[in-house]
Amino acid sequence: MARTATRPRTGLPVREVLRRFWPYAAPRRGWMLVSLLLAALSPALLSVEIWLFKVVVDDVLVPRDFGLFPVVAASYVGLTLVQAVCDGADRMLSTWLSQRFLVDLRTALLDHLQRVPLEFLGRHRLGDVMSRVSGDVSAIESFLVSGTSRAVSQVLQLVFFSVAIVLIQPLLAGVALVVTPLFWVTSRWFARRLKELSRERQRRSGALNASLEQTLSTLPLVQAYDQGAREVQRYAAEAEAKYRTEMASARLRSVYAPTLDLIELAGALVVIGTGAWLLARGELTVGGLLAFLTYLSRLYSPARGLGSAVTTAFSAAAGAERVVELLDEPTLPPDRPGAVDLHRGPAELRFEGVTHTYAGASVPAVQGVSFTARPGDVVAVVGASGAGKSTLAALLMRGLDPDSGTVRLDGHDLRDLTRASVRAQVAVVLQETLLVDGSVRDNIVFGTPGASDADVERAARAADAHDFVSALPQGYGTPVGERGRRLSGGQAQRVAIARALLRDAPVLLLDEPTTGLDVLSVQRVAGPLRHLMAGRTTVVVSHDLDTVRDATTILVMDAGRVVERGSHDDLVAAGGTYAGLWRAQRAEAGREPDGLPTPTPVGVG
Ligand code: ADP
Ligand code: MG
């Protein structure tokens, strides 16, 4: 059900990016100003430093006059000290600003995602959400925080250095400012062509590898159908294409490097030639010329930097759009004013004509469902996949609210209760998300922080988990591995049952508690499950009919509606859908090749 939006992305306008994300930087706006001042100071200091160099040449070296040297030397030392302090402060401050921004925005994002309805996960791939929280958030940061001070520093360097060369020799500055951009544009053209070619080379390499991998991984198939010649031809075509790209790139490179050298040389020669002429006419000093060339050579990098600032802005705009999509995911509505805190205790659960249609769906996922479950009852919900079972479960936990009809706990409409008290009433054993990364103990106390070790062990014993947990290398402290990979399916299930037992909630929701378990594991969890259900109001969702045989009431769902209801025996006797499913499942079990006995039904004791 991974439906992700595929509409073309144009990115968010800069004004919107600012409006949405400035608030995460705003609390430190005073410090941001300081950081901008520091960023402005650095090109200013650099300008002075190069100017000092002119003074050394013109006033110390050329006149061979040592008199001024101590002053110049002291200025150099002073300047370097000031630069060191400013650079250090700038680095600390800008790192602090950008990292705080990242922490605040990411935390806000995760906080938001904690409150979206569960159906969100059906619409987004996990990897996609993760790349939004990591990559796209950094793109926004580069633009809004670190990018701004970099841009300020680069613009000022352009301005200061241009002013400096005009001050040194206006005529020469005029020549340089006309000539240099011309050369610069030419070299940029070459550079762009070369970049296109190198992108093409990468693409070709990728294609060649993919082709190789495909051929080798399907080798048995290729040989069996004698398609080797065609595969070789296909691979050769890819290899030829890569060869042509490599050659084109080499050709361009062999022309590019010398041409670029020539261009740069020509540019420099025009400036130096004019400079020499002015020098001869006494309109320029040696130090002036040297400083001039230094300023000029340092004009390139900020100009190029401003080009990359544009790229940063584009990727921030694209990233911002993807992050805003997450931030704009509607959250579950907050508790109503005056919502009741339901006391914990045995509770009667009642669905009254409950209907829910997912946003964008044309037919309801659950339609007009009514049933009542009292303490001690087990209501089983069965049906083909897509029948609406999980939707029903989400409605029970208030992960979704009904469009019409009412879900009641002890007579209260769930929407009139605080969400926290609804969740405190309901313990769940989910099929897929059984375990969190952490120790066995962490997993058992997950819903009951602060439970004592004795309580944990009691729950584990009741769930038939104590023995295998004790046998683990670090007992209850053993890490279960990511998603519980170090435990078998049945063991993970028993840990999940221990968690629900410890939580000791009056209403129990089991979603497919035995799916994916082998026959022996199903038998192994049967006892603990029965233990867990005793005395509680239980709703169990399953498509394994053995699991639900002993339920008080079985609801058979089809396309969102309850089409049959009753006890197992009633339903089998009625000879409807359920009876058909039951016969089919029996027949299947009977055909098991190794003649294993059908599993003991898991249900209520
Ligand atoms: P079951 O658990 O019985 O397999 P579900 O309750 O998951 O059924 O789904 C019932 C129907 O609702 C299906 O048609 C399914 O495609 C649709 N559905 C489920 N989740 C979503 C969702 N998040 N958004 C839109 N439609 C959904
Ligand atoms: Mg389901």
Side-chain angles (χ1 to χ4, degrees):
M1 238 195 321
R3 267 167 284 156
T4 359
T6 48
R7 70 199 165 79
R9 297 180 181 285
T10 45
L12 225 53
V14 170
R15 196 160 25 86
E16 271 299 287
V17 178
L18 282 175
R19 191 178 71 77
R20 294 300 300 260
F21 296 104
W22 175 247
Y24 298 97
R28 293 170 294 279
R29 63 168 86 79
W31 285 111
M32 280 183 83
L33 201 64
V34 175
S35 157
L36 284 186
L37 287 179
L38 284 174
L41 209 54
S42 131
L45 290 173
L46 199 57
S47 308
V48 175
E49 192 187 322
I50 298 172
W51 197 276
L52 265 181
F53 174 64
K54 172 182 178 320
V55 174
V56 170
V57 175
D58 285 346
D59 299 337
V60 180
L61 297 181
V62 173
R64 302 167 191 226
D65 173 7
F66 189 73
L68 209 55
F69 183 71
V71 183
V72 175
S75 314
Y76 256 121
V77 172
L79 199 62
T80 309
L81 281 178
V82 174
Q83 256 173 340
V85 171
C86 285
D87 280 357
D90 185 34
R91 176 154 310 137
M92 288 303 295
L93 191 58
S94 57
T95 307
W96 178 69
L97 285 170
S98 43
Q99 294 302 321
R100 279 321 311 171
F101 178 87
L102 288 174
V103 169
D104 288 358
L105 179 52
R106 288 193 174 128
T107 312
L109 209 48
L110 200 69
D111 181 59
H112 184 82
L113 291 181
Q114 292 295 327
R115 287 176 288 118
V116 300
L118 290 178
E119 54 180 306
F120 165 82
L121 285 177
R123 281 181 286 115
H124 290 273
R125 271 184 304 240
L126 217 51
D128 178 59
V129 176
M130 284 173 64
S131 83
R132 291 178 196 220
V133 177
S134 54
D136 290 326
V137 166
S138 333
I140 299 170
E141 185 279 325
S142 309
F143 172 65
L144 224 58
V145 187
S146 42
T148 325
S149 63
R150 209 178 315 127
V152 162
S153 152
Q154 278 159 350
V155 168
L156 286 179
Q157 187 163 338
L158 272 178
V159 172
F160 290 166
F161 286 18
S162 304
V163 169
I165 60 174
V166 171
L167 284 181
I168 292 176
Q169 224 306 321
L171 181 63
L172 189 56
V175 171
L177 291 181
V178 170
V179 169
T180 354
L182 276 181
F183 292 110
W184 197 57
V185 167
T186 325
S187 75
R188 290 284 291 177
W189 181 83
F190 265 110
R192 200 163 25 235
R193 277 293 296 136
L194 206 63
K195 206 149 131 202
E196 276 164 25
L197 271 179
S198 83
R199 211 173 295 141
E200 176 75 5
R201 272 169 67 208
Q202 267 170 9
R203 213 175 54 72
R204 293 274 175 215
S205 295
L208 192 63
N209 274 338
S211 159
L212 180 63
E213 195 202 329
Q214 154 144 32
T215 308
L216 293 181
S217 64
T218 56
L219 197 59
L221 184 70
V222 172
Q223 288 183 348
Y225 284 83
D226 196 23
Q227 294 297 309
R230 202 187 54 184
E231 288 294 305
V232 170
Q233 219 172 34
R234 212 167 46 108
Y235 183 77
E238 295 282 1
E240 287 290 340
K242 177 159 180 345
Y243 155 80
R244 279 192 299 274
T245 318
E246 290 288 350
M247 286 312 290
S249 156
R251 262 196 308 278
L252 192 67
R253 252 168 222 279
S254 60
V255 180
Y256 173 74
T259 311
L260 212 61
D261 286 349
L262 273 179
I263 289 173
E264 271 176 13
L265 183 65
L269 284 180
V270 170
V271 174
I272 293 174
T274 317
W277 179 68
L278 288 166
L279 196 67
R281 289 171 46 115
E283 285 174 38
L284 184 64
T285 59
V286 176
L289 182 57
L290 292 176
F292 188 98
L293 292 174
T294 313
Y295 282 123
L296 193 61
S297 67
R298 300 233 186 150
L299 276 174
Y300 287 108
S301 92
R304 205 173 310 130
L306 282 180
S308 80
V310 175
T311 320
T312 311
F314 275 127
S315 66
E321 184 176 41
R322 286 160 49 80
V323 173
V324 161
E325 250 176 38
L326 289 190
L327 283 174
D328 286 351
E329 277 291 334
T331 50
L332 295 164
D335 289 336
R336 280 184 186 173
V340 178
D341 241 329
L342 187 62
H343 65 281
R344 263 166 71 110
E348 182 193 83
L349 172 72
R350 194 200 291 270
F351 271 60
E352 294 171 350
V354 173
T355 297
H356 179 82
T357 311
Y358 285 105
S362 52
V363 290
V366 158
Q367 196 169 5
V369 171
S370 302
F371 67 88
T372 305
R374 296 184 184 80
D377 282 357
V378 175
V379 171
V381 184
V382 301
S385 75
K389 305 184 296 291
S390 297
T391 307
L392 202 71
L395 286 161
L396 196 168
M397 288 190 288
R398 256 205 102 186
L400 297 170
D401 278 339
D403 304 333
S404 63
T406 318
V407 182
R408 290 183 191 280
L409 260 183
D410 265 356
H412 297 280
D413 186 333
L414 286 194
R415 284 166 293 193
D416 293 335
L417 296 171
T418 60
R419 194 171 265 112
S421 72
V422 171
R423 304 232 158 124
Q425 290 286 100
V426 183
V428 291
V429 177
L430 298 173
Q431 177 202 346
E432 282 178 5
T433 31
L434 281 175
L435 298 181
V436 295
D437 201 4
S439 66
V440 173
R441 186 179 193 285
D442 294 339
N443 268 285
I444 297 178
V445 299
F446 186 75
T448 325
S452 72
D453 284 345
D455 290 339
V456 170
E457 192 184 314
R458 199 171 317 119
R461 278 185 195 284
D464 188 21
H466 178 74
D467 289 344
F468 90 78
V469 174
S470 308
L472 290 172
Q474 291 149 261
Y476 284 88
T478 312
V480 297
E482 215 177 308
R483 302 201 131 219
R485 230 176 274 149
R486 280 191 226 160
L487 301 185
S488 75
Q491 289 174 335
Q493 195 73 28
R494 279 178 274 155
V495 169
I497 291 170
R499 175 194 300 146
L501 277 167
L502 187 62
R503 176 103 162 159
D504 192 27
V507 180
L508 183 64
L509 171 63
L510 306 171
D511 192 0
E512 307 271 4
T514 57
T515 309
L517 297 187
D518 55 73
V519 176
L520 288 175
S521 304
V522 171
Q523 288 175 354
R524 198 74 208 260
V525 297
L529 273 178
R530 210 173 295 131
H531 204 109
L532 179 59
M533 291 192 253
R536 298 177 211 274
T537 312
T538 305
V539 174
V540 51
V541 170
S542 183
H543 61 240
D544 175 15
L545 301 189
D546 279 317
T547 309
V548 304
R549 237 185 118 158
D550 296 338
T552 328
T553 312
I554 297 170
L555 307 177
V556 182
M557 289 193 70
D558 184 33
R561 290 174 186 279
V562 175
V563 291
E564 285 172 26
R565 70 175 69 211
S567 70
H568 174 79
D569 293 340
D570 295 346
L571 290 174
V572 170
T577 315
Y578 183 85
L581 287 173
W582 175 251
R583 270 197 306 276
Q585 200 170 328
R586 285 284 96 170
E588 188 128 312
R591 253 188 281 116
E592 296 250 299
D594 47 3
L596 275 173
T598 42
T600 325
V602 178
V604 271

